[in-house]
Each structure stands twice: as structure tokens, then as C-alpha cells.
Amino acid sequence: MARVSYPLIALVASFVCVASFAVSYSNFDVSSEYDPEQNSLKAIESGGSFSIVLDEYDQIWVYSEDRESSNASVMITLNGTIVNGTSAKWYDGFLISEDGERRYVPLTKLGPGAEGDYMFENDGASLLYLIDMGGMAASLWEQSSVQIMVVSCCLSPFLAMVGIIGLIRSSKSPKTGPKILVFDSNVGIPTTEEVFRSVNGISNDIVTADATPDPWKEESSEVEGMDEEVRDSTERVQLDEAAGDWQTWDEG
């Protein structure tokens, strides 16, 4: 029972994690957190600039509205020297306005590890937004629904794998049920030795061959020999008496 119970428990726990993720996601509403118009360090218009001091842990991403990203451009300088940020990849997250009508894509990323006084200049034609990604992530992590979703995502695959492997192993293991002993009612109640041999599958031939000699066997043989001697002596006495009686009858 124990070999089967722990895989089932793991699968049930995995299902609970999936259900918890679904419930938390349904209650997860951070539209304002992902809206650059409401959650940005600075909105830089075309031809404008913005100066900010960063430490080694800050992460600043520059976003532009998706429809105008082709006309967007930003120049980053540190003490008058142009700094090339990290180009955004296809898998980098996009942001959506609170009403869901506008989509924003990242243009470039700066940090972590970029310390100094930086100048961001909008030399394109579209509006740019500076987003503190480290602060946004910290704000999201403070929400219990986000924590539940992260824990559920980590535990659910692990528990499901443990449950599936456990079921496969338990299905391959030999199933040994209780042994049923059947004895002949005409023989009587079996002895402890007979029950032991039946449970362990020991043949009677092996037991007979290896059995300890009967301590009463020799004494029984001696008694039988004595009985034979007494019987022979009695027969001889009876024959002698019969012979004596015949002689007395013959002489008379």
C-alpha cells in the first residue's frame, strides 16, 4: 500500500499546485504595473533628454509604442561618451496599457552593473518610456498571488514527475498477496512444523531426509527384541510340558 500511496499523493499535490496557479492567475490584476504611461521613471518626448544616476543593481529598459517603434531611437551617454546598451531580444517582455489598446516593446536595456550618471536622449520621432525593471519585479513579488504562481510552477512539474515514476515502478514490482493454506480435514489439525513447511514451500522429502533421528527409535527396537525372546521362551516351555504329559499318558 505504501508503494502506491506516495505516487498518488505526489500526483494529487501536483494537481493542487496547478489549481492554485489557475486561481491565483485569475485574481492577478497588475494592468497598472505593466502600463508604461502609469509606471515609468520618465516619458521622454522627441528631442528631449533625461539624466539619471544608476548603481550596479539598477536595470533600466527603454520602451516605445509598438506601432511607432520603427521611428524610435535613443542615445545613451556617460560623461559625454556614447554607451551602447544591450539590444532587446524577441523573448524580452512587452508591456500593455491598462486599457489593453496599446502595446509597448523594448528598444534597449541598461544594467545591471552600469554605475554612473547617464543621459538618455530621444533622437527619434516617437515617445520613449524609461522603465525600472528591477523595481517593477520587486513590486510584483510583494503580491501573494505572484508568489503562489511561482511556487506552483516550480513544484507542479517536480511532483508530477515523482508521481509518474512512482506509479511505473509500483506497477512493475511483483505483487505478493497473502498465502492461503489448505489442509485435509480428515488428517486433523496440522502441526506447527507442517504449517511452517507449507508457508515456506519446503518439500516433505527434504524434511524427511534432513530430519533428526527419532530418539525413541532405538529403545523401541530393543523392546520389540525382548518381546520376541519372551515369546520364544514361552513357546518352548509349552512344548516341553506337552511332551511330558504325552509320556505320562503313554506310561499309564
Side-chain angles (χ1 to χ4, degrees), residues 3-15 155-171:
R3 294 179 61 86
V4 180
S5 62
Y6 88 84
L8 294 179
I9 293 175
L11 291 177
V12 171
S14 177
F15 175 78
L155 291 181
S156 181
F158 172 75
L159 293 173
M161 181 177 63
V162 171
I164 293 174
I165 293 176
L167 288 177
I168 294 175
R169 293 186 59 185
S170 61
S171 63

Side-chain angles (χ1 to χ4, degrees), residues 35-72:
D35 187 357
E37 299 177 4
Q38 302 184 45
N39 187 22
S40 64
L41 294 175
K42 181 67 175 179
I44 308 175
E45 297 181 352
S46 177
S49 62
F50 178 72
S51 178
I52 185 174
V53 178
L54 304 179
D55 60 28
E56 59 177 339
Y57 301 107
D58 288 330
Q59 298 182 55
I60 304 299
W61 291 21
V62 181
Y63 277 82
S64 172
E65 190 175 349
D66 191 14
R67 292 176 297 182
E68 301 176 2
S69 61
S70 59
N71 299 323

